[in-house]
Amino acid sequence: MAAADFQIDDGGPGLTLRLTGDWTATELGRISRRLDDGLKGREITSVDLTDLGRFDTAGALAIIQAGHAQLPASAWAERPEVGRTYAMVEKLERDSAGPPKRSPGWIRTFAKIGRGMHDILAEATLSMAFLGRLVTATGSTAKHWDKIRWPAWFSQGERAGLDAIPIVAVTNFFIGAVIAFLGANLLTQFGAGVFTVQLVAVATLRELAVLITAILLAGRSASSFAAEIGSMRMNQEVDAMQVMGVNPFQALVIPRLASMIVMLPILTFVGMLAGLLGGLLVTWSQLSYGPAFFVQRISEDPMMGTHLMVGMVKAPVFAIVIAAIGCRQGMAVAGDVESLGRRVTAAVVQAIFAIISLDAVFALIFLELNL
């Protein structure tokens, strides 16, 4: 095997290209650029193949792109097989379409914005259609209690709720502890360390417990709902249900929605207790306020009941959002694994975004109501 090389002779009636070595994909190296610089747009009239070794389509393409001319069949008389390879590549190169004309940058930007708006509107339309079907299925379930699949409800409640108690409790415990550390460090500088108890209680009961719990379930349960229903869509099990006369919403969506509505308030209350416990331990160790003092400060505050109510009111709404988004993305899965991955990711991202947005809306509403 010899590396490809060439020589250009101007002595004859035309330009002669003398090829040496193996003009193959593995031996060309940087010969294409050298050949293009050597020809500089000049046309080849004949080819000397005396010292040419092997020749493939890569070598033919290098000559075509450098010479920009169609060599006659007589130029390859010494090696007819080389001429046939060259002719085939030259024809394909001549008949192939050129690179598409690129639009100006501002047009591409507007096109990208337009596609994004179209995708948002399409997603909103499909979500509204899903919501309509969900409301219809919920009404049908409320009307026909005798047809409820109780085992599916209890199974989903255990998986989405009871199994999440450890992670919810541990996370809220450390969140409450962190809030207490911050309060103890900052408030003691102003001689108001005693208000660390109120800070922990208000932050935990009103905002953090329900928010952290909902975000955890958005990552845990919304993705699970999307993956489970999406896998059934991929395996055509949902279509099989419809053929057998089973409503997929009644069998798949309603049990998950009901389990989340029941379990998220329970998990939120567990998170509140865990957060208060974390704050209690920190105030006890850092400020020497015992458990009795901690509980007394909370019970004497007349607004603690309101803060607890505000936090618990958000839980069912967040539960509906998490279950609906997870099931909606699962029902939208196509027949490939890539679609399943995209939908599971979208379920988690959309659920977390919706939870944080709704929490901001609730904050404005309760602010207007002086709660």
Side-chain angles (χ1 to χ4, degrees), residues 221-304:
S221 298
S223 60
S224 174
F225 294 166
E228 292 170 356
I229 298 177
S231 297
M232 297 181 70
R233 290 274 300 174
M234 290 176 57
N235 296 329
Q236 299 182 343
E237 296 177 36
V238 177
D239 297 334
M241 284 184 177
Q242 294 176 329
V243 171
M244 292 186 297
V246 178
N247 188 342
F249 272 72
Q250 296 286 347
L252 301 176
V253 178
I254 296 299
R256 289 169 169 81
L257 177 64
S259 66
M260 288 299 298
I261 293 176
V262 173
M263 297 308 301
L264 188 55
I266 297 175
L267 291 174
T268 298
F269 187 73
V270 172
M272 290 176 178
L273 295 179
L276 292 177
L277 179 60
L280 185 152
L281 294 179
V282 171
T283 54
W284 192 5
S285 62
Q286 297 295 315
L287 302 176
S288 300
Y289 299 151
F293 178 82
F294 190 92
V295 175
Q296 180 182 358
R297 292 286 299 182
I298 294 177
S299 60
E300 290 178 351
D301 192 334
M303 291 298 295
M304 286 302 165

Side-chain angles (χ1 to χ4, degrees), residues 110-355:
F110 276 105
K112 185 178 295 185
I113 295 174
R115 286 193 297 269
M117 293 299 297
H118 176 270
D119 293 341
I120 292 174
L121 293 176
E123 187 73 15
T125 302
L126 294 175
S127 298
M128 292 302 295
F130 178 86
L131 181 61
R133 294 185 63 186
L134 181 59
V135 171
T136 303
T138 304
S140 177
T141 302
K143 185 177 180 181
H144 302 92
W145 282 93
D146 56 328
K147 296 182 179 180
I148 291 179
R149 297 171 174 84
W150 293 109
W153 286 39
F154 284 102
S155 175
Q156 292 297 329
E158 179 181 5
R159 295 169 56 191
L162 298 181
D163 292 347
I165 288 179
I167 185 65
V168 169
V170 171
T171 304
N172 281 281
F173 174 85
F174 285 112
I175 291 295
V178 169
I179 296 299
F181 271 119
L182 293 176
N185 185 36
L186 294 177
L187 294 178
T188 51
Q189 298 179 15
F190 304 98
V194 68
F195 291 104
T196 303
V197 177
Q198 278 81 357
L199 174 64
V200 173
V202 172
T204 301
L205 297 178
R206 190 180 185 94
E207 292 291 340
L208 293 180
V210 63
L211 190 63
I212 295 300
T213 302
I215 291 176
L216 287 174
L217 289 188
R220 184 180 184 275
S221 298
S223 60
S224 174
F225 294 166
E228 292 170 356
I229 298 177
S231 297
M232 297 181 70
R233 290 274 300 174
M234 290 176 57
N235 296 329
Q236 299 182 343
E237 296 177 36
V238 177
D239 297 334
M241 284 184 177
Q242 294 176 329
V243 171
M244 292 186 297
V246 178
N247 188 342
F249 272 72
Q250 296 286 347
L252 301 176
V253 178
I254 296 299
R256 289 169 169 81
L257 177 64
S259 66
M260 288 299 298
I261 293 176
V262 173
M263 297 308 301
L264 188 55
I266 297 175
L267 291 174
T268 298
F269 187 73
V270 172
M272 290 176 178
L273 295 179
L276 292 177
L277 179 60
L280 185 152
L281 294 179
V282 171
T283 54
W284 192 5
S285 62
Q286 297 295 315
L287 302 176
S288 300
Y289 299 151
F293 178 82
F294 190 92
V295 175
Q296 180 182 358
R297 292 286 299 182
I298 294 177
S299 60
E300 290 178 351
D301 192 334
M303 291 298 295
M304 286 302 165
T306 302
H307 298 321
L308 175 63
M309 181 271 295
V310 169
M312 295 301 295
V313 164
K314 301 176 185 178
V317 179
F318 291 168
I320 295 174
V321 169
I322 294 170
I325 290 177
C327 295
R328 149 87 180 95
Q329 294 298 330
M331 285 292 188
V333 172
D336 57 297
V337 178
E338 182 181 0
S339 174
L340 178 63
R342 289 199 309 269
R343 291 298 178 176
V344 171
T345 303
V348 176
V349 173
Q350 290 183 11
I352 294 176
F353 177 79
I355 288 168

Side-chain angles (χ1 to χ4, degrees), residues 12-53:
L15 195 65
T16 301
L17 176 64
R18 179 177 293 109
L19 304 179
T20 60
D22 295 326
W23 281 66
T24 60
T26 57
E27 298 297 328
L28 283 178
R30 299 181 179 274
I31 196 70
S32 300
R33 182 178 301 177
R34 290 174 47 211
L35 182 60
D36 187 55
D37 294 339
L39 293 175
K40 296 186 183 301
R42 295 181 294 175
E43 295 185 0
I44 306 170
T45 57
S46 62
V47 182
D48 185 352
L49 307 176
T50 305
D51 299 323
L52 177 65

